[in-house]
Amino acid sequence: MSSEEVLKIGGEQTPYFRNDEFSQVMLENEKLMKEFVYASEDSRVIFVTGSGTAAMETTVMNVFTSKDKVLVVNGGGFGQRFVDLCELHDIPHDEIKLDFGQDITSEILDEYNNQGYTGFLVNICETSSCVHYDLDLISDFCRKNNIFLVVDAISSFLADPLNMTEKGIDVIITGSQKALACPPGISVIVLGEKALERVNANECKCMYFDLKDMLKNGERGQTPFTPAVSILLQINQRLKEIENQGGVEAEIKRITALANDFRDRIKDLPFEIHCKNMGNAVTGVYCVNSQASEIVDALKKEYGIWVNPSGGEVGEKMFRVGHIGNLTIEDNDKLIEAFQGLEKRGILK
Ligand SMILES: *Cc1c(COP(=O)(O)O)cnc(C)c1O
């Protein structure tokens, strides 16, 4: 859910953008994004017009080449997407295939020490299963092996601690429609110094997703082509709201509290949580005796509450409850009351 002010911008006319006013907004967006992920002074931020996958593909195409050897964590739908992108763009890669909801361990990573890997791709919160991988382990492994680390934090940014400098992350990816709580349409790439070197040394065989071109235009707060102007204005509003409400740590704390409150309160209901290391953005809820789709539908039709169904093998059993954006403890109250209502009527079993 978006804030009232963000919604208001969405209802206004889209302004002309090839001017200083819009450039200042973009430069402020870059500054606040860098601050919120603890990026180094020389890092850069690119706003790509396209959903999160556009930033994933832009990154794979611009920072890696056929001379790389990339390790991809694949524990669900989004990990598979990185594998598919490496395949499509001829980036040599191996995947660490995990079970759905399984975390990465040092035993798993140990097998890949000293094997000549040059890049590492991970969706730090694999949103399909809700697992949040151990970033400390991954960061140590990449440092030790001198591996270039790309973190897709699309659903994790603003929900879980994320310190680019401390963890030695080279690229962080996020998107407008998760905890930034804006409409979909913009994805964000934060590039550290080593990433900028790679981009400048590589040739990108694509016009629209050429990071060199985006970086050049970005120096003056502009984009090569017409961006999703209104969403960028909404992102600006939202980043300033976070700043004014205590900054990134306050937002992470707020979302953590919402997630913990929800997870505590479903303990008395016929639900289970199967994933041990969940991110704060979303809870994967397993139904003991009910069909997940029936619960999702009943919440939508009878209570006006939207939770997310799951795809794939777990679709019948699992649905997902988000804790990001403009939600409060009162929203948790309403959801828990709705579950209790469904249970009383025998719909939730
Ligand atoms: C949402 C999400 C994406 C982006 O998906 P799009 O539909 O392209 O926005 C990528 N990775 C993760 C981990 C996500 O949660």
Side-chain angles (χ1 to χ4, degrees), residues 51-54 56 78 81 123 125-127 152 154-155 177-178:
S51 78
T53 308
M56 292 167 75
F78 293 105
R81 194 166 301 174
N123 321 87
C125 174
E126 171 53 74
T127 323
D152 164 3
I154 295 185
S155 64
Q177 84 271 30
K178 301 284 167 74

PDB file of all heavy atoms in Angstrom, residues 51-54 56 78 81 123 125-127 152 154-155 177-178, ligand 1:
ATOM      1  N   SER A  51      10.164  -3.300 -14.819  1.00  0.00           N
ATOM      2  CA  SER A  51       9.992  -3.947 -13.516  1.00  0.00           C
ATOM      3  C   SER A  51      11.325  -4.520 -13.042  1.00  0.00           C
ATOM      4  O   SER A  51      12.344  -4.402 -13.738  1.00  0.00           O
ATOM      5  CB  SER A  51       8.926  -5.038 -13.596  1.00  0.00           C
ATOM      6  OG  SER A  51       9.466  -6.194 -14.201  1.00  0.00           O
ATOM      7  N   GLY A  52      11.346  -5.132 -11.883  1.00  0.00           N
ATOM      8  CA  GLY A  52      12.581  -5.621 -11.284  1.00  0.00           C
ATOM      9  C   GLY A  52      13.439  -6.468 -12.209  1.00  0.00           C
ATOM     10  O   GLY A  52      14.671  -6.376 -12.199  1.00  0.00           O
ATOM     11  N   THR A  53      12.803  -7.268 -13.023  1.00  0.00           N
ATOM     12  CA  THR A  53      13.532  -8.143 -13.937  1.00  0.00           C
ATOM     13  C   THR A  53      14.374  -7.333 -14.925  1.00  0.00           C
ATOM     14  O   THR A  53      15.437  -7.788 -15.364  1.00  0.00           O
ATOM     15  CB  THR A  53      12.546  -9.078 -14.668  1.00  0.00           C
ATOM     16  OG1 THR A  53      11.743  -9.719 -13.685  1.00  0.00           O
ATOM     17  CG2 THR A  53      13.266 -10.125 -15.495  1.00  0.00           C
ATOM     18  N   ALA A  54      13.911  -6.135 -15.275  1.00  0.00           N
ATOM     19  CA  ALA A  54      14.683  -5.273 -16.182  1.00  0.00           C
ATOM     20  C   ALA A  54      16.033  -4.933 -15.549  1.00  0.00           C
ATOM     21  O   ALA A  54      17.067  -4.936 -16.230  1.00  0.00           O
ATOM     22  CB  ALA A  54      13.904  -4.001 -16.504  1.00  0.00           C
ATOM     23  N   MET A  56      17.532  -6.762 -13.243  1.00  0.00           N
ATOM     24  CA  MET A  56      18.299  -8.016 -13.183  1.00  0.00           C
ATOM     25  C   MET A  56      18.992  -8.246 -14.521  1.00  0.00           C
ATOM     26  O   MET A  56      20.188  -8.561 -14.592  1.00  0.00           O
ATOM     27  CB  MET A  56      17.367  -9.203 -12.869  1.00  0.00           C
ATOM     28  CG  MET A  56      16.762  -9.182 -11.463  1.00  0.00           C
ATOM     29  SD  MET A  56      15.399 -10.381 -11.251  1.00  0.00           S
ATOM     30  CE  MET A  56      16.287 -11.934 -11.138  1.00  0.00           C
ATOM     31  N   PHE A  78      12.796 -16.821  -8.434  1.00  0.00           N
ATOM     32  CA  PHE A  78      13.655 -15.689  -8.787  1.00  0.00           C
ATOM     33  C   PHE A  78      15.106 -16.116  -9.016  1.00  0.00           C
ATOM     34  O   PHE A  78      15.801 -15.544  -9.849  1.00  0.00           O
ATOM     35  CB  PHE A  78      13.533 -14.583  -7.740  1.00  0.00           C
ATOM     36  CG  PHE A  78      12.164 -13.961  -7.746  1.00  0.00           C
ATOM     37  CD1 PHE A  78      11.245 -14.246  -6.738  1.00  0.00           C
ATOM     38  CD2 PHE A  78      11.769 -13.134  -8.781  1.00  0.00           C
ATOM     39  CE1 PHE A  78       9.960 -13.703  -6.763  1.00  0.00           C
ATOM     40  CE2 PHE A  78      10.496 -12.590  -8.827  1.00  0.00           C
ATOM     41  CZ  PHE A  78       9.587 -12.873  -7.804  1.00  0.00           C
ATOM     42  N   ARG A  81      15.301 -17.305 -12.413  1.00  0.00           N
ATOM     43  CA  ARG A  81      15.337 -16.202 -13.385  1.00  0.00           C
ATOM     44  C   ARG A  81      16.777 -15.756 -13.652  1.00  0.00           C
ATOM     45  O   ARG A  81      17.147 -15.473 -14.794  1.00  0.00           O
ATOM     46  CB  ARG A  81      14.481 -15.040 -12.880  1.00  0.00           C
ATOM     47  CG  ARG A  81      14.177 -14.004 -13.942  1.00  0.00           C
ATOM     48  CD  ARG A  81      13.073 -13.058 -13.516  1.00  0.00           C
ATOM     49  NE  ARG A  81      11.833 -13.762 -13.212  1.00  0.00           N
ATOM     50  CZ  ARG A  81      10.737 -13.196 -12.711  1.00  0.00           C
ATOM     51  NH1 ARG A  81      10.722 -11.893 -12.482  1.00  0.00           N
ATOM     52  NH2 ARG A  81       9.669 -13.905 -12.456  1.00  0.00           N
ATOM     53  N   ASN A 123      19.336 -13.762  -4.954  1.00  0.00           N
ATOM     54  CA  ASN A 123      18.153 -12.996  -4.561  1.00  0.00           C
ATOM     55  C   ASN A 123      18.113 -13.124  -3.042  1.00  0.00           C
ATOM     56  O   ASN A 123      17.716 -14.167  -2.535  1.00  0.00           O
ATOM     57  CB  ASN A 123      16.877 -13.609  -5.152  1.00  0.00           C
ATOM     58  CG  ASN A 123      17.087 -14.105  -6.571  1.00  0.00           C
ATOM     59  OD1 ASN A 123      17.502 -15.247  -6.780  1.00  0.00           O
ATOM     60  ND2 ASN A 123      16.814 -13.257  -7.530  1.00  0.00           N
ATOM     61  N   CYS A 125      16.395 -12.162  -0.551  1.00  0.00           N
ATOM     62  CA  CYS A 125      15.144 -12.776  -0.109  1.00  0.00           C
ATOM     63  C   CYS A 125      14.520 -13.422  -1.339  1.00  0.00           C
ATOM     64  O   CYS A 125      14.143 -12.744  -2.281  1.00  0.00           O
ATOM     65  CB  CYS A 125      14.190 -11.759   0.501  1.00  0.00           C
ATOM     66  SG  CYS A 125      12.570 -12.461   0.909  1.00  0.00           S
ATOM     67  N   GLU A 126      14.479 -14.744  -1.360  1.00  0.00           N
ATOM     68  CA  GLU A 126      13.857 -15.480  -2.472  1.00  0.00           C
ATOM     69  C   GLU A 126      12.342 -15.422  -2.217  1.00  0.00           C
ATOM     70  O   GLU A 126      11.776 -16.240  -1.491  1.00  0.00           O
ATOM     71  CB  GLU A 126      14.399 -16.921  -2.509  1.00  0.00           C
ATOM     72  CG  GLU A 126      13.714 -17.883  -3.449  1.00  0.00           C
ATOM     73  CD  GLU A 126      13.598 -17.416  -4.893  1.00  0.00           C
ATOM     74  OE1 GLU A 126      14.610 -17.407  -5.640  1.00  0.00           O
ATOM     75  OE2 GLU A 126      12.473 -17.072  -5.293  1.00  0.00           O
ATOM     76  N   THR A 127      11.711 -14.414  -2.804  1.00  0.00           N
ATOM     77  CA  THR A 127      10.336 -14.054  -2.444  1.00  0.00           C
ATOM     78  C   THR A 127       9.331 -15.176  -2.696  1.00  0.00           C
ATOM     79  O   THR A 127       8.250 -15.178  -2.118  1.00  0.00           O
ATOM     80  CB  THR A 127       9.923 -12.782  -3.221  1.00  0.00           C
ATOM     81  OG1 THR A 127      11.064 -11.924  -3.307  1.00  0.00           O
ATOM     82  CG2 THR A 127       8.804 -12.043  -2.526  1.00  0.00           C
ATOM     83  N   ASP A 152      20.281  -9.240  -5.502  1.00  0.00           N
ATOM     84  CA  ASP A 152      18.915  -8.821  -5.804  1.00  0.00           C
ATOM     85  C   ASP A 152      18.213  -8.677  -4.459  1.00  0.00           C
ATOM     86  O   ASP A 152      17.928  -9.670  -3.794  1.00  0.00           O
ATOM     87  CB  ASP A 152      18.238  -9.879  -6.697  1.00  0.00           C
ATOM     88  CG  ASP A 152      16.718  -9.724  -6.739  1.00  0.00           C
ATOM     89  OD1 ASP A 152      16.185  -8.775  -6.136  1.00  0.00           O
ATOM     90  OD2 ASP A 152      16.061 -10.569  -7.388  1.00  0.00           O
ATOM     91  N   ILE A 154      15.342  -6.980  -4.166  1.00  0.00           N
ATOM     92  CA  ILE A 154      14.103  -6.331  -4.616  1.00  0.00           C
ATOM     93  C   ILE A 154      13.048  -6.353  -3.520  1.00  0.00           C
ATOM     94  O   ILE A 154      12.415  -5.349  -3.239  1.00  0.00           O
ATOM     95  CB  ILE A 154      13.606  -6.966  -5.938  1.00  0.00           C
ATOM     96  CG1 ILE A 154      14.638  -6.677  -7.044  1.00  0.00           C
ATOM     97  CG2 ILE A 154      12.227  -6.407  -6.323  1.00  0.00           C
ATOM     98  CD1 ILE A 154      14.264  -7.122  -8.435  1.00  0.00           C
ATOM     99  N   SER A 155      12.878  -7.505  -2.863  1.00  0.00           N
ATOM    100  CA  SER A 155      11.865  -7.561  -1.803  1.00  0.00           C
ATOM    101  C   SER A 155      12.479  -7.379  -0.418  1.00  0.00           C
ATOM    102  O   SER A 155      11.772  -7.417   0.576  1.00  0.00           O
ATOM    103  CB  SER A 155      11.133  -8.899  -1.864  1.00  0.00           C
ATOM    104  OG  SER A 155      12.043  -9.949  -1.589  1.00  0.00           O
ATOM    105  N   GLN A 177       8.030  -1.422  -6.616  1.00  0.00           N
ATOM    106  CA  GLN A 177       6.736  -1.921  -6.131  1.00  0.00           C
ATOM    107  C   GLN A 177       6.799  -2.821  -4.911  1.00  0.00           C
ATOM    108  O   GLN A 177       5.802  -3.414  -4.550  1.00  0.00           O
ATOM    109  CB  GLN A 177       5.992  -2.638  -7.269  1.00  0.00           C
ATOM    110  CG  GLN A 177       6.357  -4.099  -7.503  1.00  0.00           C
ATOM    111  CD  GLN A 177       7.504  -4.302  -8.461  1.00  0.00           C
ATOM    112  OE1 GLN A 177       8.380  -3.458  -8.545  1.00  0.00           O
ATOM    113  NE2 GLN A 177       7.519  -5.416  -9.169  1.00  0.00           N
ATOM    114  N   LYS A 178       7.983  -2.955  -4.305  1.00  0.00           N
ATOM    115  CA  LYS A 178       8.011  -3.757  -3.076  1.00  0.00           C
ATOM    116  C   LYS A 178       7.990  -2.785  -1.882  1.00  0.00           C
ATOM    117  O   LYS A 178       7.046  -2.053  -1.759  1.00  0.00           O
ATOM    118  CB  LYS A 178       9.213  -4.695  -3.083  1.00  0.00           C
ATOM    119  CG  LYS A 178       9.208  -5.664  -4.292  1.00  0.00           C
ATOM    120  CD  LYS A 178       8.220  -6.821  -4.170  1.00  0.00           C
ATOM    121  CE  LYS A 178       7.994  -7.577  -5.471  1.00  0.00           C
ATOM    122  NZ  LYS A 178       9.094  -8.443  -5.890  1.00  0.00           N
TER     123      LYS A 178
HETATM  124  C1  LIG B   1       9.545  -8.985  -7.163  1.00  0.00           C
HETATM  125  C2  LIG B   1      10.886  -9.544  -7.347  1.00  0.00           C
HETATM  126  C3  LIG B   1      11.572  -9.421  -8.570  1.00  0.00           C
HETATM  127  C4  LIG B   1      11.067  -8.626  -9.736  1.00  0.00           C
HETATM  128  O1  LIG B   1      10.053  -9.126 -10.445  1.00  0.00           O
HETATM  129  P1  LIG B   1       9.309  -8.185 -11.493  1.00  0.00           P
HETATM  130  O2  LIG B   1       7.994  -8.860 -11.670  1.00  0.00           O
HETATM  131  O3  LIG B   1      10.109  -8.116 -12.706  1.00  0.00           O
HETATM  132  O4  LIG B   1       9.189  -6.835 -10.819  1.00  0.00           O
HETATM  133  C5  LIG B   1      12.840  -9.947  -8.671  1.00  0.00           C
HETATM  134  N1  LIG B   1      13.421 -10.570  -7.639  1.00  0.00           N
HETATM  135  C6  LIG B   1      12.802 -10.698  -6.447  1.00  0.00           C
HETATM  136  C7  LIG B   1      13.520 -11.397  -5.341  1.00  0.00           C
HETATM  137  C8  LIG B   1      11.508 -10.199  -6.271  1.00  0.00           C
HETATM  138  O5  LIG B   1      10.893 -10.324  -5.087  1.00  0.00           O
END
